[in-house]
Amino acid sequence: MSIIFEERFAAHPKDVKKYDTAQLRENFLIEKVMEADQIRLVYSHYDRYISGGAVPATAPLELTAIDPMKAAYFCERRELGIINVGAKGSVIVDGVKYSVDFKEALYIGKGAKQITFKSESASEPARFYLNSTPAHKELPNRHITLKDANVLQMGSQLTSNERQINQLLISKVVETCQLQMGMTELRPGSVWNTMPAHTHSRRMEVYFYFNVPEGQAVCHFMGQPQETRHIWMQNEQAVISPNWSIHSAAGTSNYIFIWGMAGENMDYTDMDVVQPNQLR
């Protein structure tokens, strides 16, 4: 098993204004996140954020450091957040086994040396979505279920954005250094997420869309509020959102997405809201 990874560099918003569709997708879309018997990672130079997936189908997968990190092991200077979007599996961290079911999360703190992913069934493997950020101190590992989550009910059917936000890796639930993660589920009949849109120059963000029905798609909106762009996305794809960019989407059906954030401010409500009639 080898870890498949790529490196993405930061882009200035003035440059992004000139990007065509292919350039937008090349710089911000993570087209393939999950692949059987592989760990796939993208190392972004926005806040040194790593996102990716691990699908241990026929054999366990071990997470090791990749070259851009210049580290002896993956969590030598990093923390790691994991959310399982597949069948039941487990994560073994330095000999301690954590069973992680569908929609459950695991936080792994700085200093964990050996991290291995396993599935209970090869025919129905776990699908671990991974986010990682630099960490300044060691914190305890923690398994988080939906019962542990801080849950917010947002939006309305009238505005097609009725949704449940499950805050999994935030300060109200578990202590982290800077990583925050959660999962937003849109109600049937609702298609808009994160509307009204917003930016937060103190943090960047990555969205991972899943549970998108076959034949359907999600149109993700990005860019500065007065210079928006869009990227059409399929099931189990992710998109990098710079700190200067909005991050919102509308789907041709309802769906679920995982948001992950990193930066200097841990306040979830720290955002600069942009009303729909202000977008261009």
Side-chain angles (χ1 to χ4, degrees):
M1 186 277 300
S2 61
I3 296 177
I4 302 169
F5 74 90
E6 60 178 297
E7 197 171 357
R8 300 281 183 94
F9 294 93
H12 195 284
K14 288 183 179 179
D15 295 327
V16 175
K17 290 179 183 182
K18 304 171 187 175
Y19 286 3
D20 61 15
T21 298
Q23 288 173 302
L24 281 174
R25 295 175 72 86
E26 180 183 355
N27 281 273
F28 301 107
L29 176 66
I30 304 175
E31 198 160 4
K32 193 161 192 177
V33 177
M34 302 291 181
E35 183 177 358
D37 291 316
Q38 296 290 349
I39 295 175
R40 300 187 68 96
L41 302 173
V42 169
Y43 183 104
S44 170
H45 285 268
Y46 288 109
D47 287 301
R48 307 290 173 176
Y49 205 96
I50 294 177
S51 55
V55 185
T58 61
L61 298 174
E62 184 175 352
L63 181 63
T64 57
I66 57 176
D67 185 67
M69 298 164 61
K70 304 300 181 186
Y73 49 94
F74 191 90
C75 282
E76 182 179 13
R77 301 183 296 270
R78 285 183 165 270
E79 58 188 349
L80 174 66
I82 301 166
I83 298 178
N84 186 3
V85 299
K88 191 171 185 179
S90 59
V91 184
I92 298 92
V93 185
D94 292 336
V96 179
K97 180 179 177 180
Y98 298 89
S99 295
V100 185
D101 212 336
F102 181 54
K103 295 182 181 179
E104 293 184 350
L106 179 66
Y107 173 79
I108 300 176
K110 173 180 177 288
K113 291 185 177 179
Q114 188 173 38
I115 300 167
T116 305
F117 303 101
K118 289 185 177 181
S119 295
E120 286 203 355
S121 168
S123 59
E124 295 184 16
R127 304 174 79 81
F128 296 109
Y129 178 60
L130 317 176
N131 281 187
S132 175
T133 56
H136 61 276
K137 65 178 179 179
E138 295 185 6
L139 292 169
N141 303 333
R142 171 87 183 276
H143 177 218
I144 303 109
T145 70
L146 287 177
K147 292 181 180 179
D148 303 315
N150 186 57
V151 177
L152 305 175
Q153 303 296 337
M154 303 288 286
S156 165
Q157 278 194 334
L158 295 175
T159 47
S160 303
N161 66 346
E162 186 178 13
R163 61 200 189 275
Q164 177 172 308
I165 301 175
N166 306 292
Q167 296 177 329
L168 295 164
L169 271 64
I170 67 162
S171 57
K172 290 182 179 180
V173 177
V174 59
E175 185 182 3
T176 67
C177 291
Q178 65 166 318
L179 178 64
Q180 297 183 71
M181 292 180 72
M183 180 173 58
T184 299
E185 304 180 67
L186 275 73
R187 302 298 188 197
S190 287
V191 296
W192 278 103
N193 74 60
T194 320
M195 185 56 69
H198 63 261
T199 60
H200 31 61
S201 61
R202 280 71 57 192
R203 296 193 299 268
M204 61 82 67
E205 199 154 358
V206 175
Y207 276 12
F208 171 74
Y209 293 95
F210 73 103
N211 209 45
V212 179
E214 186 175 355
Q216 304 302 312
V218 174
C219 186
H220 180 88
F221 293 90
M222 62 164 294
Q224 292 176 296
Q226 306 305 313
E227 279 283 347
T228 60
R229 301 290 185 270
H230 69 272
I231 298 176
W232 281 99
M233 299 180 60
Q234 308 300 314
N235 188 46
E236 291 192 342
Q237 292 184 339
V239 61
I240 299 167
S241 176
N243 55 347
W244 45 262
S245 174
I246 64 166
H247 32 281
S248 183
T252 57
S253 173
N254 63 313
Y255 51 89
I256 305 173
F257 74 99
I258 293 172
W259 43 267
M261 294 186 283
E264 67 173 346
N265 196 337
M266 299 283 283
D267 180 6
Y268 179 84
T269 62
D270 173 27
M271 58 186 72
D272 301 313
V273 175
V274 185
Q275 296 299 332
N277 61 357
Q278 296 175 311
L279 294 167
R280 297 291 183 269

